[in-house]
Amino acid sequence: MKQVFEPATIGSMTMKNRIFRAATGDAHAINGHYAPEDFAWYETMADSGVGAIISGLANVCDYPMRDEPGMLGIYDDSFLEEYQKLADMIHQKDSRLIVQLVHCGSNTYVTGRTIYAPSAVTNPMSGAEPVELSVEDIGRIREAFVRAALLAKKAGCDGVELHGAHGYLLHEFLSPYYNKRTDEYGGNIENRSRLLSEICTEIRAATDLDFPILVKINCNDAVPGITKEDFLETGRILEKAGASAIEVSGSWKSNKSWQPYFLAETKELAEALNIPVILTGGVRDLPELEKIIAETQIAFAGMCRPFIVEPKLLERWESGNLGRSWCRSCNACMTTKLICPYR
Ligand SMILES: Cc1cc2nc3c(=O)[nH]c(=O)nc-3n(C[C@H](O)[C@H](O)[C@H](O)COP(=O)(O)O)c2cc1C
């Protein structure tokens, strides 16, 4: 029977327990590079007892694809040293580092440059009016993801996560709302998954058979977009393409409860795949999580806001004080840049 606090592996990465600090972007970066306060926060997280830390979303492209100024980047050798430093620090504390790779697509508030997306569909959140990517530009973006993964590997990071959720470019390709293409990147779910699966295949070919490639995908959407069938099929396609694990997320509209709100969908995906599946969103209670890990095929859990509210949550749980996380999923941390009223 699986347990939360036992070592577990994803490809070449062995974690001391099954808990990830889910990706948490904090918009402090300076020209894509980590700010000193980010390092301090990663140190706090590495000390917290998590098995692995997924970085905040890091852009794989420089101008003209770059996004907001405070966003992390990983697109050339100038990033190697800081990722090396970060990975070394995290390893010394017996945790692991996964770098989350993203291209923002039309999910951006940046102005003064061309915004690219699968199709020229106005983004209902940001209002951005993107230009449809040519197949050549799609190829350049694919290369940028592979280059970023190789930089992360070279720096000694334990793996990468492709951000295929939350309305960013790879998710926009998956979504029939944003993707109106009539070529091999649009139409059925196989075509809409093509860019993600090509990126997986190419990273796998350029690295090792067991280099951890995680992918975060939505199981549902805020706008009429991917269906549950699309979600399950994307998981199957990604497994065939060489993904090492899938983290399940979804629309922020599902985010009302402080129980695991994607549990049913995550469970179903875990039953459909042979690779590990990660439950994220609303995980707040250790006994409940232990039951999920013991009784289902779900192999790992991710938590984001609980660690903003209480960075030493795992220490408390491991000491036998099992009270729930205080985080109420209120999203104040999103709107006020990590300042939580419960802190
Ligand atoms: C402040 C903040 C920043 C986030 N940044 C990212 C990010 O960079 N990448 C990502 O995939 N998800 C990001 N998320 C979403 C979380 O990784 C997670 O999917 C979501 O918060 C649900 O988990 P939770 O209920 O444990 O918070 C962020 C969430 C918050 C609150």
Side-chain angles (χ1 to χ4, degrees):
M1 212 161 61
K2 305 193 293 333
Q3 291 175 6
V4 173
F5 289 105
E6 69 178 357
T9 61
I10 295 182
S12 57
M13 175 174 72
T14 300
M15 292 162 52
K16 65 186 166 200
N17 59 49
R18 296 180 182 273
I19 298 184
F20 283 90
R21 194 295 297 261
T24 309
D26 44 24
H28 293 142
I30 303 155
N31 293 327
H33 293 273
Y34 282 94
E37 62 260 45
D38 288 334
F39 259 88
W41 181 246
Y42 277 81
E43 194 159 9
T44 305
M45 280 296 96
D47 275 331
S48 74
V50 288
I53 299 170
I54 303 179
S55 75
L57 74 184
N59 203 334
V60 297
C61 289
D62 190 7
Y63 188 79
M65 305 280 186
R66 201 170 70 193
D67 201 64
E68 293 88 352
M71 202 183 150
L72 292 169
I74 179 162
Y75 40 79
D76 61 35
D77 284 352
S78 71
F79 292 93
L80 270 176
E81 196 183 326
E82 66 203 81
Y83 277 100
Q84 254 156 10
K85 213 172 122 193
L86 200 59
D88 285 351
M89 180 272 288
I90 289 171
H91 291 159
Q92 273 164 24
K93 294 172 186 291
D94 196 22
S95 190
R96 304 286 174 257
L97 175 61
I98 297 289
V99 183
Q100 191 184 56
L101 308 180
V102 75
H103 182 297
C104 292
S106 69
N107 189 3
T108 175
Y109 295 83
V110 85
T111 53
R113 70 157 171 86
T114 309
I115 307 295
Y116 295 94
S119 304
V121 174
T122 303
N123 189 300
M125 322 277 262
S126 67
E129 294 187 359
V131 168
E132 176 166 314
L133 282 159
S134 66
V135 171
E136 291 71 33
D137 278 338
I138 293 176
R140 279 192 270 279
I141 289 174
R142 188 172 59 233
E143 281 166 21
F145 273 98
V146 178
R147 183 179 58 228
L150 290 176
L151 282 169
K153 184 168 188 290
K154 194 169 170 190
C157 304
D158 298 281
V160 293
E161 180 174 75
L162 306 176
H163 198 346
H166 304 173
Y168 295 104
L169 184 82
L170 297 176
H171 176 223
E172 291 185 320
F173 268 92
L174 293 175
S175 160
Y177 181 90
Y178 292 103
N179 184 346
K180 309 286 185 200
R181 300 179 72 95
T182 53
D183 61 6
E184 68 269 36
Y185 290 97
N188 62 26
I189 189 60
E190 197 184 338
N191 285 354
R192 286 183 273 127
S193 300
R194 191 174 303 280
L195 176 57
L196 246 180
S197 74
E198 285 177 347
I199 293 169
C200 269
T201 307
E202 292 199 12
I203 296 176
R204 178 62 64 226
T207 58
D208 307 317
L209 273 180
D210 56 359
F211 179 69
I213 307 170
L214 284 59
V215 189
K216 189 168 184 174
I217 54 174
N218 272 14
C219 62
N220 60 28
D221 280 349
V223 292
I226 57 159
T227 62
K228 196 174 76 183
E229 298 322 312
D230 288 344
F231 154 70
L232 293 172
E233 188 55 21
T234 301
R236 289 188 200 101
I237 290 170
L238 291 172
E239 178 170 26
K240 279 199 205 115
S244 316
I246 307 287
E247 182 183 11
V248 179
S249 195
S251 158
W252 286 102
K253 283 189 180 162
S254 315
N255 198 346
K256 303 265 158 54
S257 116
W258 52 319
Q259 256 107 36
Y261 37 81
F262 301 127
L263 178 58
E265 295 86 347
T266 310
K267 220 171 129 196
E268 204 169 333
L269 185 68
E271 280 160 17
L273 303 186
N274 294 309
I275 54 175
V277 171
I278 305 164
L279 171 73
T280 295
V283 176
R284 301 289 183 270
D285 186 60
L286 184 61
E288 180 185 38
L289 180 61
E290 278 173 332
K291 200 163 154 17
I292 292 167
I293 294 289
E295 294 178 3
T296 74
Q297 304 291 320
I298 295 169
F300 293 88
M303 286 188 283
C304 165
R305 289 165 293 176
F307 292 125
I308 297 172
V309 176
E310 189 184 2
K312 295 201 178 292
L313 173 65
L314 294 191
E315 245 175 57
R316 175 163 71 73
W317 280 353
E318 283 193 282
S319 76
N321 180 350
L322 297 187
R324 297 172 66 90
S325 158
W326 313 323
C327 176
R328 304 282 200 279
S329 304
C330 66
N331 282 344
C333 45
M334 290 298 273
T335 51
T336 59
K337 296 218 163 93
L338 301 187
I339 301 164
C340 177
Y342 296 105
R343 246 176 129 173

